[in-house]
Amino acid sequence: MAEEYKCKLLVEGNEDVHVIKALWGSYNLPIVFDIIDCKSITKVLANLRIRLTAPQENQKIGVVVDADEDSSARWDAIKGRLAETGKYDCKQIQLQGEGTILKSVDSEYPSIGVWIMPDNRLPGMLEDFVATLAEPEDALMTKSEKVLDEIETEGIGRYKPVHRAKAKIHTFLAWQDEPGRPMGQSITARVLKAGNPSGQLFVEWLKRLFLYK
């Protein structure tokens, strides 16, 4: 797909693209950035490195990746790419709970935004974040958690432990009207609430990065 804007958001997969588009659209905000599906964390980092060599074409760059088991390792990998340029004071950069935004020491280089799913602190992934968009104390979310506990106790689960969050959110969505609706569509349909605190925080980070100077 052709890129339209000089602001870019690099993500790991197609689900990220649809979830972020749905969140942004829920707030009726202007589209001012391209979302680039890089297909993997390795390719996100490679894409970031390449874009940093062409700052005139990349005014602002956001990076959204899963923490998986270690948010610090993800953060260190991203800082490593920035340090290679010599244009960012990486020693002073700290990962922020509300999403990190940093300026380069050279005004010609892009501002960089970093969000490590789910919340810039805990291990996890996109699906952990999306689960927080359900209503607090939703009975079906509670039930999906109990079902996974039962499956694991009985030893009949076929999902990998690292993918538990995927099993949980997709079980929850399977029990809705129009079962199995994808996560992005579920946000648009308001089964998942973009206005929940975690959704608001993420969108505010995007706004600070892409809409404000």
Side-chain angles (χ1 to χ4, degrees):
M1 184 178 295
E3 297 180 18
E4 299 182 44
Y5 306 99
K6 289 192 175 182
C7 295
K8 313 295 180 181
L9 186 65
L10 311 181
V11 303
E12 287 188 71
N14 194 47
E15 289 274 28
D16 302 78
V17 174
H18 291 294
V19 165
I20 293 168
K21 281 185 176 179
L23 284 171
W24 191 254
S26 295
Y27 286 83
N28 297 311
L29 295 165
I31 299 173
V32 295
F33 57 94
D34 295 308
I35 306 178
I36 312 299
D37 176 6
C38 299
K39 309 298 184 184
S40 70
I41 177 62
T42 301
K43 291 181 180 179
V44 167
L45 295 171
N47 198 307
L48 176 60
R49 174 184 278 144
I50 291 168
R51 290 182 186 277
L52 288 170
T53 66
Q56 68 280 4
E57 297 298 326
N58 297 277
Q59 183 181 20
K60 297 178 179 180
I61 302 174
V63 176
V64 176
V65 295
D66 292 339
D68 291 334
E69 297 179 355
D70 189 350
S71 60
S72 295
R74 289 286 184 260
W75 179 226
D76 288 344
I78 294 167
K79 285 195 296 182
R81 296 301 179 274
L82 300 179
E84 289 172 0
T85 68
K87 301 295 184 180
Y88 299 89
D89 188 0
C90 295
K91 292 182 179 179
Q92 302 301 317
I93 302 171
Q94 299 294 324
L95 188 61
Q96 303 296 319
E98 66 274 16
T100 298
I101 297 175
L102 53 127
K103 306 287 186 180
S104 73
V105 296
D106 183 335
S107 61
E108 293 183 1
Y109 271 70
S111 298
I112 303 293
V114 179
W115 187 284
I116 300 180
M117 289 288 178
D119 64 356
N120 299 299
R121 291 193 174 93
L122 295 175
M125 57 184 62
L126 174 70
E127 287 79 5
D128 291 284
F129 168 79
V130 171
T132 68
L133 302 179
E135 291 286 11
E137 309 302 324
D138 187 296
L140 287 179
M141 187 63 79
T142 301
K143 185 65 174 178
S144 68
E145 182 75 32
K146 289 182 179 178
V147 168
L148 294 186
D149 287 344
E150 292 171 3
I151 287 172
E152 290 164 9
T153 298
E154 295 172 19
I156 59 175
R158 296 177 182 173
Y159 53 86
K160 297 176 182 178
V162 71
H163 291 156
R164 192 179 200 273
K166 292 178 182 284
K168 178 179 176 180
I169 189 62
H170 290 294
T171 298
F172 171 77
L173 293 176
W175 291 339
Q176 306 298 320
D177 187 22
E178 295 191 27
R181 184 188 274 133
M183 293 186 292
Q185 291 181 24
S186 296
I187 294 169
T188 302
R190 300 185 180 180
V191 173
L192 299 167
K193 311 297 184 183
N196 278 11
S198 54
Q200 291 182 22
L201 194 65
F202 181 77
V203 171
E204 282 301 317
W205 168 73
L206 289 174
K207 287 166 62 178
R208 287 188 289 117
L209 176 60
F210 292 125
L211 294 183
Y212 307 152
K213 292 184 178 181

